[in-house]
Amino acid sequence: MTAFCGIELAHPVINASGCFDALAAREVFGDSLIERFPFAAYVSKTVTLGPRAGNPPPRLWEAAGGLINSIGLPNPGIDAYLETHLPAYAALGVPIITNVMGSTVEQFGELVERVALRDEVAAIELNVSCPNVATGLDIGADPHELERLVTALRPLSAKPLIVKLTPNAADVAACAAAAESGGADSVSLINTLRAMALAPGATAPWLGGGTGGLSGPAIRSIALAQVASVAASVAIPVIGMGGVASGADAAALLDVGATLVAVGTETFRDPAAGRRIANELAQRFAENAA
Amino acid sequence: MTAFCGIELAHPVINASGCFDALAAREVFGDSLIERFPFAAYVSKTVTLGPRAGNPPPRLWEAAGGLINSIGLPNPGIDAYLETHLPAYAALGVPIITNVMGSTVEQFGELVERVALRDEVAAIELNVSCPNVATGLDIGADPHELERLVTALRPLSAKPLIVKLTPNAADVAACAAAAESGGADSVSLINTLRAMALAPGATAPWLGGGTGGLSGPAIRSIALAQVASVAASVAIPVIGMGGVASGADAAALLDVGATLVAVGTETFRDPAAGRRIANELAQRFAENAA
Amino acid sequence: MVGRRALGAYVVLEVGDEAVAAAPGQFYMLAAVVGWGGGEGERPFLGRAISALFAGDGRVGFLLEDVGPGTGRLCSLAVGEELWLVGPLGRGFDAPPAEREALLVGGGVGIPPLAMFQEAWGGRALLGFRDARHAAGASLLKDAELATDDGSVGHAGYVTDLLERELRAAGEVCVYACGPPAMLETVRALTLAAGVPAWLALEAPMACGFGACFGCVVATHDGFKRVCLDGPVFEAAVLA
Amino acid sequence: MVGRRALGAYVVLEVGDEAVAAAPGQFYMLAAVVGWGGGEGERPFLGRAISALFAGDGRVGFLLEDVGPGTGRLCSLAVGEELWLVGPLGRGFDAPPAEREALLVGGGVGIPPLAMFQEAWGGRALLGFRDARHAAGASLLKDAELATDDGSVGHAGYVTDLLERELRAAGEVCVYACGPPAMLETVRALTLAAGVPAWLALEAPMACGFGACFGCVVATHDGFKRVCLDGPVFEAAVLA
Ligand SMILES: Cc1cc2nc3c(=O)[nH]c(=O)nc-3n(C[C@H](O)[C@H](O)[C@H](O)COP(=O)(O)OP(=O)(O)OC[C@H]3O[C@@H](n4cnc5c(N)ncnc54)[C@H](O)[C@@H]3O)c2cc1C
Ligand SMILES: Cc1cc2nc3c(=O)[nH]c(=O)nc-3n(C[C@H](O)[C@H](O)[C@H](O)COP(=O)(O)OP(=O)(O)OC[C@H]3O[C@@H](n4cnc5c(N)ncnc54)[C@H](O)[C@@H]3O)c2cc1C
Ligand SMILES: Cc1cc2nc3c(=O)[nH]c(=O)nc-3n(C[C@H](O)[C@H](O)[C@H](O)COP(=O)(O)O)c2cc1C
Ligand SMILES: Cc1cc2nc3c(=O)[nH]c(=O)nc-3n(C[C@H](O)[C@H](O)[C@H](O)COP(=O)(O)O)c2cc1C
Ligand code: FES
Ligand code: FES
């Protein structure tokens, strides 16, 4: 068992927000998914106040050792999320972390207040880092703004608040420390790095959103550096992610100070990656103990 | 011919600082190197006031689609550089760009003044971005500090000043604009991204320097996004680099607004990469013109 | 992988799988276990979506054309080499309404869904190809009428010319189509104009194939839909 | 690649090249043109430094052991597959002084420089291996005295035990060594203590192999030196 902000988890591997649609996966892989859910907790895709359609396609570009996405945070909005999605997630049998994003402190406040009312939710993750949406980035990259935001949100919920930091910052450790000062219970990182690709044979951007965010093995070593520097700078637990594809990758993040590890892009290649990585981790611990 | 800050270049492909030791290459590959020097200009490795030994080994880690280095800017110091290296570089037959780094405005000032006296030097590149040395980073990531630095250095030399920006910044375009306001003639980017790796089977960092910088194909799409955003924000010419391995990669950087392209890590795999990429570029232009 | 044969410009792969039956139009995500990625540009990284050509008795078949690093590697697989396989995925074609004749319209690597459709429910096939080498793929269906761009086999021109002719001949038909985007767009326009029901099996760049990434969307009158989850088969009338 | 054969635990590759003669201890940077990178961990990305085993007449030979993704791919190459090759690189061994007997000490994949040395200038070889399967590599030299870790061939123990014996037997010798870091460290300590001149061919992680990256340094009394440019052969006395 792994303890995280007072929540008991079966193992330290969870999904990265936006990289696993549990309802779609159940539709595709059937109820066996719930019996053996690959992750120790389920993190929702980012939810905003109103519904969002997301960016026009194409939304994906395969990069060297990774993926660039410009999905653009499509989601049904907080009403539909709370009414339809959340009760369905609750049936997964693992703690639910709801990830929210607003463009202003007020929007964030409304989102946190509404989510706080729901017993199904174990923790709230604040996406202040999505590189596809200008507002989220601006708050998350500036320690002062970030501290102000978290300070304002802290009184609105007794649930653990996780701040998902932006990696597109000069000093991520300073941002993490600001989140901690504001009252965050945990920080998570890294989100995708701003990236771009041109259409083959053309001079225009390939992605409908213009730019996108890079994830996958290409960002693994950047994630490790940022998680190490953040974990050394704050006392609150850290959720590490970025390019994790194996137990060894997960172990490295734990070794530099993360409490949990999240898996995103690798689940696209292997839908059972969460379970596989948790098993590989358990085996490493067993070998080290022996 | 390509024009850059009043310098005429045979083609738009130059080397990235620290990724090609022209003297060593001549020793290894012979004088044929000079007859067909792979780059249109030669950028020196970063030079500091005093000599530096660099970081303890190991200095290299192979990452997914790239390389992490913690070389630590070994160099003979400005005296030996001006006395021994520079005259040898001058024999290469291409314009010389000298890359310098100080820890303070004063150090930078002394470096620029001394280099400015030398006719062999066509332009000066200011390394305000090396992630391996704390000081370089701090100046380059903060637009105000950067503008102050460039403003102070501008009167010290009539030679073109190129500011090599750090990619580990929240808003690289703002840094570029600050460099331009300070009087820079050009900006170059991207330098390596802060990254880390653990030794296999260990919990300690592999690299002697603790962390290092990621280069190569893994950072290509990040470089393209940063170069595009910088080129859209400044009027001065931009030198684009980061993961360039082919004419197509170079063309993409030119398409988003770069004037020159620099090649680093790819020259490790193919010492003639500069010439190959310039040829591939020329072929593309010929095809597009036809 | 248990079998491999060339078919004109294509390669047919046969892969051992725990034999879930796939519906016509369903697909799998495929990747080679060894030699996936690396080399120039370090691609492929993600799996590749490939339609089932047949499925059952512990085997799944695929029809491939080498158009890039991913399909290139899959085409180069030798018998005995291992594959990552996720599927069957997506919503395929439904059985055709009894009162209408099914017209199967497609071409190129779009023929596997149509071949499975014909095997299950019959239907008359109109197929288009670049040239004779590609037209060899038509042997996967029965009695197909052909068109080739270069006129080397069948009608010289587009397969949609053949469809236009059929739509003018006022029979009660419905259309099932799979092929390159431009072909499907023409099928959509023609059938809509003719008031004939049509179902199209679409392609889109995919990262996951099971609804996780929201990367493969297509615009419909009801907003963006995931091709991998809500499709790849869509009724022509719902597409925006 | 023009030739390939197994030799115990090793593979010997023969590659066509424009036949620059290489000196004993010089090396090449090698990468496969196809299938370099990708797969688990997306490595290898850079070329791999491999010593010449022979060179001339348009051919270069290499001795390889599969210890990771790079050497693994090189070992898997079939005749006819293409290689990227940069070299010969580095400073190899110089000819031994006439007045001293050359002792060649090494093991594992460190034997190619010693084999070329013996071919050029003679010398008596003391070689260490893990076991009999690896000791097959000794056939690349003439009349080598062997040690194996498991005692299956020759002396049971380290090759440096044999060197210690030789250094006690007060002949006028000089030592040329190539092998794993721990072995070379012992050779350095023993020869230094005995006041015997020794040259060591070192290994270091390399990105370029031609002095460009400053990544391969070793500490000497004169500061860090690049193994690829100033070495790989260093006199034992200069190493810090
Ligand atoms: C549901 C479905 C079923 C399919 N069925 C089949 C089938 O049965 N047989 C078959 O052969 N194919 C089929 N395809 C098509 C197949 O999936 C693609 O051709 C394949 O993914 C191409 O991969 P590649 O690496 O070979 O080529 P790529 O190089 O990926 O090129 C394919 C196209 O992708 C774009 N592209 C180029 N570079 C990139 C990049 N870096 N990132 C993103 N996009 C890029 C370009 O538009 C290019 O033309 C199907 C596709 C779908 C969605
Ligand atoms: C001058 C010279 C001559 C050589 N001659 C020969 C020869 O003749 N024959 C031969 O077989 N070998 C030779 N070698 C050794 C050979 O170059 C290495 O064994 C090879 O580079 C290993 O590559 P790999 O991918 O197979 O293994 P790797 O996985 O790269 O492992 C090799 C070692 O590198 C380290 N390592 C692991 N992961 C990484 C990483 N991601 N980045 C950096 N380091 C890592 C570890 O210490 C590991 O033990 C020589 C080396 C040098 C420098
Ligand atoms: C397709 C895709 C969609 C994503 N959507 C979200 C999102 O909605 N909210 C969020 O906070 N992060 C989102 N992310 C970022 C991931 O949660 C994660 O931080 C990042 O991908 C790095 O991890 P990885 O390399 O394991 O994918 C998304 C990433 C991808 C690839
Ligand atoms: C081994 C190595 C050494 C480098 N040394 C320097 C340096 O001395 N000064 C500098 O400004 N940049 C240095 N860089 C950064 C490169 O100039 C370049 O900005 C970066 O590597 C991205 O380009 P690439 O992906 O083509 O390598 C170095 C990079 C590498 C890989
Ligand atoms: S491919 Fe990921 S949602 Fe369709
Ligand atoms: S390997 Fe690059 S300097 Fe030696």
Side-chain angles (χ1 to χ4, degrees):
Chain A
M1 294 298 265
T2 301
F4 169 79
C5 296
I7 311 165
E8 288 282 300
L9 302 177
H11 57 76
V13 182
I14 67 175
N15 69 300
S17 173
C19 298
F20 199 80
D21 181 331
L23 306 185
R26 198 172 65 183
E27 200 177 319
V28 173
F29 301 114
D31 285 340
S32 62
L33 186 83
I34 299 184
E35 282 151 40
R36 304 195 55 207
F37 194 67
F39 301 104
Y42 179 67
V43 184
S44 79
K45 191 159 177 57
T46 293
V47 187
T48 51
L49 274 183
R52 288 173 58 101
N55 288 329
R59 292 179 168 183
L60 301 171
W61 178 262
E62 197 178 54
L67 169 70
I68 313 179
N69 84 78
S70 74
I71 308 294
L73 304 179
N75 77 90
I78 190 69
D79 291 341
Y81 172 80
L82 293 176
E83 201 176 315
T84 323
H85 291 217
L86 186 55
Y89 293 157
L92 296 172
V94 295
I96 305 302
I97 299 172
T98 295
N99 177 304
V100 298
M101 195 193 78
S103 334
T104 60
V105 177
E106 290 66 36
Q107 284 190 1
F108 264 114
E110 189 176 342
L111 286 160
V112 168
E113 276 179 331
R114 301 216 28 211
V115 175
L117 295 173
R118 295 294 291 262
D119 289 341
E120 298 100 317
V121 176
I124 304 175
E125 186 171 52
L126 309 171
N127 179 1
V128 297
S129 53
C130 183
N132 293 341
V133 180
T135 51
L137 170 84
D138 291 340
I139 302 177
D142 178 337
H144 301 289
E145 284 297 300
L146 185 57
E147 183 167 350
R148 211 170 62 82
L149 173 71
V150 181
T151 306
L153 301 180
R154 177 66 284 176
L156 306 181
S157 169
K159 294 189 198 293
L161 287 182
I162 306 161
V163 175
K164 185 158 182 186
L165 301 165
T166 169
N168 302 302
D171 190 345
V172 183
C175 296
E180 185 179 35
S181 300
D185 300 283
S186 169
V187 288
S188 58
L189 70 161
I190 66 173
N191 210 316
T192 57
L193 289 142
R194 255 192 307 273
M196 186 178 177
L198 300 189
T203 60
W206 164 264
L207 294 168
T211 61
L214 181 64
S215 64
I219 69 168
R220 185 184 297 147
S221 61
I222 299 173
L224 191 65
Q226 295 203 355
V227 169
S229 117
V230 163
S233 311
V234 296
I236 52 178
V238 174
I239 305 176
M241 70 192 98
V244 172
S246 70
D249 301 335
L253 287 170
L254 298 178
D255 283 340
V256 302
T259 298
L260 301 182
V261 168
V263 179
T265 303
E266 182 64 14
T267 60
F268 302 157
R269 304 208 285 183
D270 172 9
R275 192 160 50 233
R276 170 173 58 78
I277 292 167
N279 288 344
E280 286 168 15
L281 262 184
Q283 207 176 317
R284 281 176 84 95
F285 287 138
E287 277 163 20
N288 286 353
Chain B
M1 295 297 265
T2 301
F4 169 78
C5 296
I7 311 166
E8 287 283 297
L9 301 177
H11 57 77
V13 181
I14 67 175
N15 69 300
S17 173
C19 298
F20 198 79
D21 182 331
L23 306 185
R26 199 171 64 183
E27 199 177 318
V28 173
F29 300 114
D31 285 340
S32 63
L33 185 83
I34 299 186
E35 282 152 38
R36 302 195 56 206
F37 194 67
F39 301 104
Y42 179 66
V43 184
S44 79
K45 192 161 175 56
T46 293
V47 187
T48 51
L49 273 183
R52 288 172 58 102
N55 288 329
R59 291 178 169 184
L60 301 171
W61 177 262
E62 196 179 53
L67 169 70
I68 313 178
N69 83 79
S70 75
I71 308 293
L73 303 179
N75 78 90
I78 190 70
D79 292 341
Y81 172 80
L82 293 176
E83 201 176 316
T84 322
H85 291 218
L86 186 55
Y89 293 157
L92 296 172
V94 296
I96 305 302
I97 299 172
T98 295
N99 177 304
V100 298
M101 194 192 80
S103 332
T104 61
V105 177
E106 291 67 36
Q107 284 190 1
F108 263 113
E110 189 175 340
L111 287 161
V112 168
E113 276 178 331
R114 299 215 31 209
V115 175
L117 295 173
R118 295 294 290 263
D119 289 340
E120 297 100 318
V121 176
I124 304 175
E125 185 171 54
L126 309 170
N127 179 0
V128 297
S129 55
C130 183
N132 292 341
V133 179
T135 51
L137 169 83
D138 291 341
I139 301 178
D142 177 338
H144 302 289
E145 284 297 301
L146 184 57
E147 183 167 350
R148 212 170 62 84
L149 174 70
V150 181
T151 305
L153 302 180
R154 177 67 283 177
L156 305 181
S157 169
K159 294 190 198 293
L161 287 183
I162 306 161
V163 174
K164 185 158 181 185
L165 302 165
T166 169
N168 302 300
D171 189 345
V172 182
C175 296
E180 185 178 35
S181 300
D185 300 284
S186 169
V187 289
S188 57
L189 69 161
I190 66 174
N191 210 316
T192 57
L193 288 142
R194 256 192 307 274
M196 185 179 179
L198 300 188
T203 60
W206 164 264
L207 294 168
T211 60
L214 181 64
S215 64
I219 69 168
R220 184 183 297 147
S221 60
I222 299 172
L224 190 65
Q226 295 203 354
V227 169
S229 118
V230 163
S233 311
V234 297
I236 52 179
V238 174
I239 304 176
M241 72 191 96
V244 173
S246 70
D249 301 334
L253 287 170
L254 298 179
D255 283 341
V256 301
T259 299
L260 300 182
V261 167
V263 180
T265 302
E266 182 64 13
T267 60
F268 303 156
R269 306 207 285 184
D270 173 8
R275 192 161 48 234
R276 171 172 57 78
I277 291 167
N279 288 343
E280 287 169 14
L281 261 185
Q283 208 176 317
R284 283 176 83 94
F285 287 137
E287 277 164 19
N288 287 353
Chain C
M1 210 184 67
V2 297
R4 179 190 191 284
R5 68 186 168 99
L7 179 67
Y10 306 101
V11 171
V12 176
L13 295 187
E14 206 171 305
V15 181
D17 189 36
E18 290 137 38
V20 204
Q26 282 197 299
F27 66 96
Y28 287 73
M29 295 299 283
L30 261 64
V33 169
V34 169
W36 196 249
E40 250 180 88
E42 285 74 32
R43 297 200 302 132
F45 166 64
L46 300 159
R48 294 298 191 254
I50 307 292
S51 306
L53 172 62
F54 55 82
D57 296 333
R59 303 192 160 200
V60 199
F62 301 102
L63 179 76
L64 284 150
E65 183 172 12
D66 175 356
V67 300
T71 50
R73 174 64 184 115
L74 293 172
C75 285
S76 82
L77 281 168
V79 170
E81 286 199 78
E82 280 183 283
L83 280 174
W84 294 111
L85 201 72
V86 179
L89 297 166
R91 295 183 40 205
F93 291 114
D94 290 328
E99 69 281 8
R100 285 175 179 265
E101 185 193 9
L103 276 183
L104 313 181
V105 180
V109 293
I111 54 181
L114 305 181
M116 284 189 73
F117 187 105
Q118 197 187 49
E119 177 83 18
W121 301 304
R124 191 149 52 85
L126 312 174
L127 302 179
F129 296 94
R130 217 167 314 156
D131 51 31
R133 236 180 106 240
H134 287 82
S139 66
L140 297 169
L141 282 92
K142 279 188 283 286
D143 305 322
E145 187 175 352
L146 300 190
T148 49
D149 297 355
D150 66 357
S152 54
V153 185
H155 167 71
Y158 292 139
V159 65
T160 46
D161 303 342
L162 305 180
L163 174 63
E164 236 181 316
R165 184 201 62 200
E166 292 292 328
L167 293 177
R168 272 196 307 267
E172 285 287 276
V173 296
C174 56
V175 172
Y176 298 87
C178 187
M183 179 194 290
L184 293 186
E185 184 44 38
T186 309
V187 172
R188 189 178 76 96
L190 290 175
T191 53
L192 232 65
V196 163
W199 285 266
L200 313 178
L202 304 183
E203 279 192 15
M206 291 186 177
C208 70
F210 58 93
C213 74
F214 284 80
C216 60
V217 294
V218 61
T220 74
H221 293 305
D222 188 27
F224 289 129
K225 294 287 175 193
R226 284 169 280 186
V227 171
C228 70
L229 192 74
D230 301 311
V233 172
F234 290 90
E235 196 176 349
V238 309
L239 297 174
Chain D
M1 211 186 68
V2 297
R4 180 190 191 283
R5 68 186 167 97
L7 178 69
Y10 306 101
V11 170
V12 176
L13 295 186
E14 206 171 307
V15 181
D17 189 37
E18 290 137 38
V20 205
Q26 283 196 300
F27 66 96
Y28 287 73
M29 296 299 284
L30 260 65
V33 169
V34 168
W36 196 249
E40 250 180 89
E42 285 74 32
R43 296 200 304 133
F45 165 64
L46 301 159
R48 295 297 191 253
I50 307 292
S51 306
L53 173 61
F54 55 81
D57 296 331
R59 303 193 163 201
V60 199
F62 301 102
L63 179 76
L64 283 150
E65 183 172 11
D66 175 356
V67 301
T71 50
R73 174 64 184 116
L74 293 172
C75 284
S76 82
L77 282 168
V79 170
E81 286 198 78
E82 280 183 283
L83 279 175
W84 294 111
L85 201 72
V86 179
L89 297 166
R91 294 183 42 205
F93 291 115
D94 290 328
E99 69 280 9
R100 286 176 179 265
E101 186 195 8
L103 276 183
L104 314 181
V105 181
V109 293
I111 52 182
L114 306 180
M116 283 188 75
F117 187 105
Q118 198 187 48
E119 177 82 18
W121 302 303
R124 190 150 53 87
L126 313 173
L127 302 179
F129 296 94
R130 217 167 313 155
D131 51 32
R133 236 180 106 240
H134 287 81
S139 65
L140 297 169
L141 284 91
K142 280 187 281 287
D143 306 322
E145 188 176 350
L146 300 189
T148 48
D149 297 356
D150 67 355
S152 54
V153 186
H155 168 70
Y158 294 138
V159 65
T160 45
D161 302 343
L162 306 180
L163 174 64
E164 237 182 316
R165 183 200 62 199
E166 293 292 329
L167 294 176
R168 272 196 307 267
E172 285 286 275
V173 297
C174 56
V175 173
Y176 298 87
C178 186
M183 178 194 290
L184 293 187
E185 184 44 38
T186 308
V187 172
R188 190 178 76 96
L190 289 175
T191 54
L192 233 65
V196 163
W199 285 267
L200 314 179
L202 304 184
E203 280 191 15
M206 292 186 177
C208 70
F210 57 94
C213 73
F214 284 80
C216 61
V217 294
V218 61
T220 74
H221 293 307
D222 188 25
F224 289 129
K225 295 287 176 193
R226 284 169 279 186
V227 171
C228 70
L229 192 73
D230 301 312
V233 172
F234 291 90
E235 195 175 350
V238 311
L239 297 173

